[in-house]
Amino acid sequence: MSSLTRLMASALLMLGLALPSAPAARAGTYPDRPVTVVLPFGAGSGADRIIRVMLPRMEELLGQKIILDYKTGGGAVVGSNYFMTTKPDGYTLLFYNQPHITMQSTFQKTAYNNDNLVPIFGATWRPDSLNVLADGPFKTLDDLVTYARENPGKLTVGTTGSLSSNHLSFALFSKLTGLQMTRVPFNSAGKMNAALLGGQIDATFNNLQWLTMYPGKLRVLATASTERLQPDIPTFTEQGYPEMVDISAVNILYARKGTPEEIVERLRAVFTPLLTDENIKAEFIKLDIGYGMFDHNQVQELTDLAVKQTEQAGGYIKASMQ
Amino acid sequence: MLDMVLQGVLGVLQPINILTLILTVSLGIVIGALPGFGAATGLILVLPLTYSLDPGTAFVALCGVYVGAEYGGSISSILLNTPGTGGAVVTCFDGFPLAQRGKAREALFISNIASFSGGIVSGLVMLFCMPILGGAVLHFGAGEILVLAVIGLLLVGSISAGDPLKGVGSAALGVFMTCIGADAFMGNPRFDFDIPILIGGIPFIPVMLGVFSVPHLLRLALGRQDGTQAVSMRNMSMRENARIFLDVFRDMFARMKILLLRSGLFGVLIGIVPGVGGSVATMVAYSSARRASKQPEMFGKGAREGIAAPEASNNGLVGGSLIPVLALGIPGSPAAAIFMGAIFLHGMTPGPNFLVSQGNLVYLLIMAVFMAAVVQLLLGFLTIGSFANILKVPPYLLFPSLLVICCIGAYVVRGLEFDMWLFSGFGLAAFFLVRLGFNPGAFILGMILGGITEGSLLETLTLARAQGGLLAYFMGRTIALIIIGMVVIYFAWRLFSAWRTHEPRSAAEASARAETREVGPWSGLRGYDAAYSVLLLGICAWLYSMLDELAPSTALFPRIVLTVLMLSMGALLAKTVFFGRLYANKTESPFSGTRWTALSGVLIVWGLYLWGVGVLGFYVSSFLMVLVLTVMLRAAAGEAGSPRSLLACLVFSVIYGIAAYIVFKIFFGIVTPTGLIG
C-alpha cells in the first residue's frame, strides 16, 4: 500500500515538475524562453538550409534559443495551417515563402493568407529564369517563342511543384505571349533538371543556381529580374516582357496576426542587423543560395507585386492545374 | 571513378563512421531479433536520430541498421522458431531444428557467416553497377519509371502469399491511401473530407510502423504463455567459441562457396525488382539450394545449407534494394523507401542526378555496405548469444517501452501528433484485418509505389499528349520497350509453367489447399469475407461518386485504383458466394482466442496515452503510460502484485522516462509535443 501512495506521489511530482511557470506574454520581458520557428517544408529543404545559415546569428540577436519545428506535408499547407493554430504570442513563428502563400491562399483552401500573416523580415533572392539545353535547338528567347507559336501544346516546360514561383512565371509568360505550352510539374528541382538534361522536357522555369551545378550544359534564355544577373544573360524586360520582373521565391519570417504590436516591433528591430550582416552574405554566396535581405516594408512591396502578378495570370494558373 | 572509390574507403574508415557502424549494427541486430520488428521498422526508429548527423555518417548509420537487422532476424528464427523479420521466415525451417539438436551456436554462426557473404556480394554488385548505371539513368524518363512501378504493383499482387485476390485488394487499398490529399502531379487536394490535415495525405512511415509492428506488439502484450521458449545456450569460453566458429567457417568455405554466391546474387537481383521483398528472395534461394543438394531429404530437419541460403540472400537484398533508390528514386521495399526518405531529409533527391552530383556519397554508402558486413561478422562472433537476451525481456516491460519508441518514430517525420494516432489506428486495424487475410506487406508496397506510379503516369500522359500520343511517345523509348518485353516474357513463362505443371505455386499455398479440403461448408471466415467485400464495395462506390468534382488529371489515378479495388472485391465476393467452401481454411472464427478484456484494457491506456501527449507533454505522458502498463500487464500475466514488484515497475518507468528524455531530447534534439501546460 505504501508503495502505491509513493507511486501516486511521484506521479504528482512529475506532473508538478512539468508545470511551467508560464507567464503571460509581455513585451517587456520578451523573449524569456526559446522561440519556435515552424518550417512547413521538411528538414533538408531549401528553406531549412537558408534558415540554418542565419540561425546562430538570429539566436545571438534574440538572446534566446530558436527551435526549428518541422511540420511537413501537402506542399507546405499542413505545416502552415498548423502554425495558424498556435498562440499569437511571438513564441511560435513561421518561415515560409512568397509567392507561394499568395498563390496557395488564392487557389486552395488554406487557413493562412496575406492578411493574417505579419512579416518580420525576408531572406533569399533568386529570380526565376527560363532554361534550355545548351546544345539544344533554342539559342534565344525568340527561337523558343517562335517554335511554341508554330507548335501549340508541343513545347514542354518543367516547373518545380504547383503554385510555386516557377508556376507563376510559367503562367504569366503564357499570358503575356498568348502561347500554348505544356506545363510539367516536378516535385524537386533535381528531378526536373535531370529530365531537362535527359531530353525528357524542352525547357524549365527555375533559377540560376543550377548553372554552376551543371557547368556548360544549360542555357539561360532570360531572367525575371530588373537587371542582368550575369553580363551574358539577358532579362525578360530587355526582350520585351517588362511584366516578367522580380518573380522569385523569397523566404519570410512571419508572426501571426494578433501578436502584440510591441513584440512584432521588437522582433523587427532585433533582427535588423541581420539584413546587413557581411558574414551571412558571404555564407549565402558560398552556398549559392541567392543572396537578398528585405525588411518588412520591402517584403510588403514584394507581396503586393506577387498579388498583382497572380491576379494577372490567374486564368492561366488555374488552367495549368487541370 | 577510382578516386571516388578510394574516397569512399577512406571515408568509411574514419573513426566516427566505424563507431557509428558498431553502434548501429548492434542496434539493428537487436531490433531485427525482436519478432515483428524488421529492417524497415529499425530504419524508421533510427531515422530521426540521423537528423543531426552529416549526410555521410547518417547513411552509414542507416546502412548499419539495415545490415544488422537482416542478420538479427535469424536469431529469433533459430532460437525461438519465430522469424524476427519477413526475410527470416525461411531460416526457421532448418535453423530451429538444428538448434533443438543442441547446435544453436553452429546455427547462429552459419547465419552470421552467410549474412556476411551476402553483404559482400551485394556490395560488389553495387560497386560494378553504379558506373554503368550512372550513364544510363539519364535516359530513364517518366515512361520507364512508370513501367517499372506498374511491374512492381503487378508483382506485389501476384506474388503475395495467401489468396491472390486479397493480395491485389490489399495492394490496391495501399495505393488508394496515396490518393488521399494533394495529388502526386499537380498538387490539387482531393478526398480530404474538409479535414485540413488530410491535405498532407496519409504518410507511409507511421502507417507502416503501425501495420507491421502493432499486431506483433499486441500479440506480445496479450500473449498466452503457451510454452514457446527460446532454445538456451550454455556459456562457453572464447576459445571453444572460436573453435566452433572456425569449424563452421571451414565447412562452409569447403562446401558452400557456390551456394553462398548464388544465394547472395538471388538476393541482389530480386532486391532490384520493385515490389518483391525478402520473403521471395529467401524462398527462391532456399529451394534452389535444396534442388542442388545431394541430400535434399535433410532440408527441414536442420540442414546447414538450409540456413546459409536464405541468410545469404536476405543480406544480398540490402545492396540490391538500394540500387534503384540511388539510381532512379524508386524504392522497391519498405526499407528502401525509408532509405530514400533519409536522402530527402538531408536535402538531396535520389534519382538520376544523384549518382552524378553526389558520387562521393554513393561510394561511401557502397563501402559502408562492405564495412557493415565485416562489423556484423565480428559482432556476431564476439557477442554470440548475448543479443538473444532481448528475447528474454518480459513482455510487460518490452511492450510499453517499444510503444513509446514507435510513437516517437511515427511522430517525428512530420512533427504532427496526428501521426501517432494514424500509427495506432492503422496498427489496430491491421491487428484484426490480418486475420481476415489482409496482406500488410502488399498494402505497404502499394502505398510506396502508389505516389510514384501516379506521378509518372500523369507525366507520361502529359508528355505523350505534347508529342502526339502514347504510341509515338513509347516508340522512341527503347529502354521502356525492352522492360515491357521482358515482363511480357516473364508472365507468359509463368503462365506456361503453371499450365504445364498444374502444381500449386508454393509450399505455403499447397499446405493451405490441403487444409481447406477438410473443412465443412459453414465456416466463420466465409461470413467475414462476404461482409468486408460488400463493405469495401460500398465505400469504393461512395468515393467514386466524389471523383466528378475533381480536375481531370487529379481524378484519373483514383479512378483507376478504385476500379481495380472494386473488381478484386467483386471477384472475392463472387468467389465467396459460389466457391465459399474451397477458400475457407479455418474451422474456428478468426478472432477466437483473443483476450478481449486484456486487449480493451491495453487499448484504453493507449488511447489515454495519446490524448495525454497533447495535454501533459510527451515525456510525462510516456512515463505514466509505461508505469500503468507494466503494472497492468504484470497482473494480466498472473504475476503477483507485491509492493516490491510495484516499486520495481515504478523504478523502471522513471529510469525509462529519464533515459528517453536524455536520448531523444538532449542528445538528438528532437522536438516533441509539450502539451498544454508548457
Side-chain angles (χ1 to χ4, degrees):
Chain A
M1 200 57 220
S2 67
S3 62
L4 247 181
T5 21
R6 242 180 299 172
L7 185 156
M8 286 172 70
S10 56
L12 283 175
L13 188 73
M14 287 290 281
L15 273 176
L17 285 177
L19 275 171
S21 46
R26 247 180 264 111
T29 57
Y30 178 89
D32 58 2
R33 57 193 159 98
V35 171
T36 301
V37 174
V38 175
L39 275 111
F41 292 107
S45 60
D48 184 34
R49 278 169 57 213
I50 288 159
I51 198 163
R52 276 174 187 281
V53 168
M54 304 183 293
L55 201 61
R57 187 80 180 112
M58 283 170 77
E59 288 184 334
E60 201 181 306
L61 293 170
L62 196 60
Q64 276 291 351
K65 241 186 111 46
I66 294 175
I67 300 163
L68 298 182
D69 193 1
Y70 303 99
K71 304 249 184 254
T72 55
V77 176
V78 170
S80 312
N81 275 345
Y82 161 83
F83 171 70
M84 296 310 290
T85 67
T86 60
K87 272 185 233 151
D89 58 3
Y91 284 100
T92 312
L93 305 171
L94 175 73
F95 194 61
Y96 194 19
N97 76 61
Q98 289 288 8
H100 225 101
I101 295 170
T102 303
M103 302 261 284
Q104 276 179 332
S105 58
T106 310
F107 295 101
Q108 290 183 345
K109 272 179 293 180
T110 55
Y112 52 92
N113 53 50
N114 288 328
D115 296 326
N116 57 24
L117 294 173
V118 183
I120 308 295
F121 72 91
T124 56
W125 184 245
R126 44 177 184 224
D128 279 10
S129 57
L130 180 57
N131 319 295
V132 293
L133 276 183
D135 51 7
F138 310 121
K139 306 293 175 212
T140 65
L141 188 60
D142 279 343
D143 291 349
L144 182 131
V145 171
T146 312
Y147 173 83
R149 186 148 289 138
E150 284 164 6
N151 303 278
K154 279 229 189 274
L155 188 82
T156 50
V157 184
T159 66
T160 52
S162 284
L163 303 177
S164 58
S165 71
N166 295 166
H167 189 182
L168 177 59
S169 295
F170 173 87
L172 191 57
F173 189 59
S174 304
K175 155 102 184 174
L176 294 173
T177 53
L179 289 176
Q180 201 187 332
M181 304 180 285
T182 300
R183 185 176 79 100
V184 187
F186 288 84
N187 52 18
S188 84
K191 266 192 189 159
M192 180 165 84
N193 280 308
L196 180 61
L197 292 175
Q200 323 279 350
I201 51 174
D202 300 316
T204 63
F205 270 106
N206 207 345
N207 53 55
L208 291 190
Q209 198 193 349
W210 304 93
L211 275 181
T212 44
M213 205 146 167
Y214 304 102
K217 297 241 169 122
L218 300 181
R219 178 194 309 282
V220 179
L221 297 180
T223 60
S225 53
T226 33
E227 280 158 29
R228 288 193 175 201
L229 297 173
Q230 281 183 21
D232 52 338
I233 299 177
T235 63
F236 278 107
T237 310
E238 61 187 271
Q239 300 181 77
Y241 307 100
E243 288 100 328
M244 289 287 290
V245 73
D246 291 345
I247 306 178
S248 163
V250 182
N251 289 280
I252 299 157
L253 189 69
Y254 283 107
R256 271 195 70 182
K257 193 179 178 191
T259 306
E261 195 56 32
E262 313 91 78
I263 290 182
V264 171
E265 285 311 321
R266 189 167 160 74
L267 279 167
R268 285 173 176 165
V270 155
F271 289 132
T272 303
L274 211 60
L275 309 180
T276 50
D277 192 300
E278 285 302 315
N279 290 332
I280 289 179
K281 182 174 184 180
E283 193 72 10
F284 266 66
I285 290 167
K286 198 179 104 198
L287 292 174
D288 205 5
I289 289 175
Y291 179 75
M293 285 289 185
F294 307 94
D295 66 20
H296 65 98
N297 290 320
Q298 291 164 314
V299 168
Q300 196 53 53
E301 285 165 26
L302 286 169
T303 306
D304 294 340
L305 180 64
V307 171
K308 202 181 104 201
Q309 288 167 331
T310 303
E311 261 168 33
Q312 199 180 351
Y316 283 80
I317 295 173
K318 229 175 174 169
S320 59
M321 283 193 77
Q322 295 298 303
Chain B
M1 156 69 202
L2 257 180
D3 58 313
M4 285 211 229
V5 175
L6 195 68
Q7 271 188 8
V9 174
L10 291 178
V12 85
L13 287 177
Q14 277 172 9
I16 170 83
N17 287 339
I18 298 275
L19 188 71
T20 305
L21 272 178
I22 293 173
L23 285 175
T24 52
V25 172
S26 314
L27 194 67
I29 296 177
V30 172
I31 295 174
L34 284 171
F37 282 67
T41 323
L43 287 170
I44 292 181
L45 300 182
V46 174
L47 188 61
L49 308 184
T50 63
Y51 279 7
S52 48
L53 303 175
D54 84 285
T57 309
F59 292 167
V60 168
L62 292 167
C63 193
V65 174
Y66 197 170
V67 169
E70 288 296 352
Y71 159 65
S74 72
I75 294 178
S76 55
S77 293
I78 290 168
L79 297 180
L80 202 61
N81 203 20
T82 308
T85 58
V89 177
V90 178
T91 312
C92 294
F93 298 171
D94 285 280
F96 188 62
L98 194 61
Q100 278 182 315
R101 294 212 312 256
K103 295 194 169 172
R105 204 170 293 262
E106 279 90 334
L108 287 175
F109 281 145
I110 294 169
S111 160
N112 186 23
I113 294 166
S115 298
F116 164 75
S117 71
I120 298 296
V121 170
S122 78
L124 284 174
V125 175
M126 283 176 92
L127 196 55
F128 288 110
C129 266
M130 285 307 166
I132 305 169
L133 281 173
V137 284
L138 277 185
H139 300 290
F140 264 76
E144 286 77 14
I145 304 273
L146 173 66
V147 171
L148 283 177
V150 170
I151 292 171
L153 287 173
L154 286 175
L155 290 175
V156 172
S158 76
I159 286 177
S160 56
D163 189 335
L165 281 178
K166 289 183 187 172
V168 173
S170 305
L173 206 57
V175 177
F176 181 74
M177 290 299 138
T178 65
C179 294
I180 294 172
D183 80 62
F185 190 60
M186 287 298 184
N188 290 320
R190 64 188 171 197
F191 301 122
D192 56 8
F193 311 106
D194 280 325
I195 303 168
I197 208 160
L198 282 185
I199 292 174
I202 306 279
F204 108 94
I205 284 185
V207 173
M208 197 206 97
L209 204 51
V211 166
F212 281 173
S213 59
V214 168
H216 290 273
L217 273 174
L218 281 176
R219 224 167 291 148
L220 185 75
L222 308 173
R224 285 169 297 188
Q225 292 345 90
D226 54 359
T228 40
Q229 286 228 318
V231 175
S232 59
M233 285 184 295
R234 61 190 178 83
N235 286 324
M236 260 188 200
S237 70
M238 215 37 166
R239 250 180 100 100
E240 267 181 289
N241 238 340
R243 192 180 50 76
I244 298 177
F245 182 81
L246 283 178
D247 269 355
V248 170
F249 188 82
R250 239 175 267 137
D251 175 52
M252 289 176 79
F253 191 73
R255 298 196 298 126
M256 301 183 204
K257 278 190 296 265
I258 302 295
L259 175 132
L260 288 175
L261 182 67
R262 191 180 50 209
S263 306
L265 281 176
F266 277 136
V268 180
L269 294 178
I270 292 175
I272 293 177
V273 183
V276 192
S279 42
V280 176
T282 49
M283 201 65 219
V284 171
Y286 184 82
S287 49
S288 96
R290 183 166 54 186
R291 242 177 284 132
S293 168
K294 291 189 190 93
Q295 300 168 293
E297 72 280 359
M298 282 306 291
F299 277 72
K301 295 175 189 148
R304 290 183 161 197
E305 291 89 338
I307 305 171
E311 284 304 310
S313 72
N314 69 24
N315 274 64
L317 200 81
V318 173
S321 69
L322 290 180
I323 290 173
V325 167
L326 297 175
L328 303 170
I330 305 178
S333 69
I338 295 155
F339 226 101
M340 188 157 129
I343 298 176
F344 278 120
L345 268 182
H346 284 93
M348 290 167 270
T349 311
N353 65 322
F354 187 71
L355 290 188
V356 185
S357 60
Q358 303 290 346
N360 288 333
L361 271 179
V362 172
Y363 283 96
L364 177 66
L365 184 60
I366 296 174
M367 290 308 146
V369 171
F370 282 110
M371 202 59 206
V374 174
V375 171
Q376 170 246 310
L377 183 73
L378 292 176
L379 278 175
F381 166 64
L382 291 173
T383 61
I384 177 92
S386 51
F387 282 126
N389 286 330
I390 187 80
L391 300 175
K392 295 181 189 153
V393 178
Y396 58 81
L397 295 183
L398 209 48
F399 174 77
S401 324
L402 291 175
L403 185 57
V404 172
I405 297 177
C406 284
C407 279
I408 207 168
Y411 168 82
V412 84
V413 176
R414 297 200 303 171
L416 301 171
E417 270 166 55
F418 176 69
D419 290 355
M420 292 190 191
W421 290 96
L422 270 186
F423 151 78
S424 310
F426 274 87
L428 190 64
F431 175 69
F432 291 114
L433 289 179
V434 164
R435 301 173 188 206
L436 297 175
F438 166 78
N439 185 327
F443 176 78
I444 291 300
L445 280 163
M447 267 189 96
I448 292 171
L449 293 172
I452 294 169
T453 312
E454 172 167 34
S456 54
L457 172 71
L458 290 175
E459 193 184 326
T460 302
L461 291 177
T462 307
L463 292 174
R465 207 175 304 133
Q467 289 168 21
L470 263 183
L471 205 62
Y473 175 77
F474 272 110
M475 279 337 271
R477 311 194 73 88
T478 334
I479 299 178
L481 289 178
I482 291 173
I483 303 172
I484 294 175
M486 275 159 58
V487 173
V488 169
I489 292 170
Y490 167 78
F491 276 101
W493 172 74
R494 273 197 44 177
L495 271 180
F496 175 71
S497 59
W499 169 76
R500 211 181 48 176
T501 54
H502 285 290
E503 259 175 12
R505 266 176 292 169
S506 70
E509 222 169 292
S511 70
R513 290 255 164 100
E515 263 175 63
T516 55
R517 294 202 185 95
E518 300 159 10
V519 177
W522 301 106
S523 63
L525 217 131
R526 189 176 130 181
Y528 284 107
D529 270 8
Y532 82 64
S533 48
V534 168
L535 181 70
L536 260 177
L537 279 172
I539 295 175
C540 287
W542 173 58
L543 293 170
Y544 209 91
S545 71
M546 300 167 79
L547 290 173
D548 291 336
E549 299 156 21
L550 302 174
S553 68
T554 308
L556 177 68
F557 190 64
R559 183 163 284 145
I560 297 171
V561 178
L562 286 173
T563 307
V564 172
L565 193 55
M566 288 202 280
L567 284 178
S568 66
M569 285 302 113
L572 183 67
L573 185 63
K575 204 160 96 174
T576 322
V577 171
F578 297 118
F579 310 99
R581 196 156 53 112
L582 270 179
Y583 288 87
N585 53 11
K586 270 188 190 150
T587 37
E588 46 183 316
S589 148
F591 298 113
S592 68
T594 309
R595 298 167 71 196
W596 293 106
T597 339
L599 178 65
S600 32
V602 168
L603 292 183
I604 289 170
V605 178
W606 190 332
L608 285 174
Y609 167 52
L610 295 186
W611 172 77
V613 164
V615 182
L616 303 174
F618 181 75
Y619 295 102
V620 177
S621 183
S622 296
F623 157 75
L624 290 173
M625 183 275 288
V626 173
L627 180 63
V628 174
L629 274 187
T630 43
V631 173
M632 224 175 85
L633 291 174
R634 256 185 90 106
E639 289 183 41
S642 69
R644 259 191 74 180
S645 71
L646 282 179
L647 185 68
C649 291
L650 179 64
V651 171
F652 173 76
S653 12
V654 171
I655 293 176
Y656 185 80
I658 294 172
Y661 184 81
I662 291 172
V663 171
F664 295 131
K665 183 90 175 187
I666 298 178
F667 203 61
F668 288 105
I670 295 172
V671 181
T672 46
T674 47
L676 298 177
I677 51 176

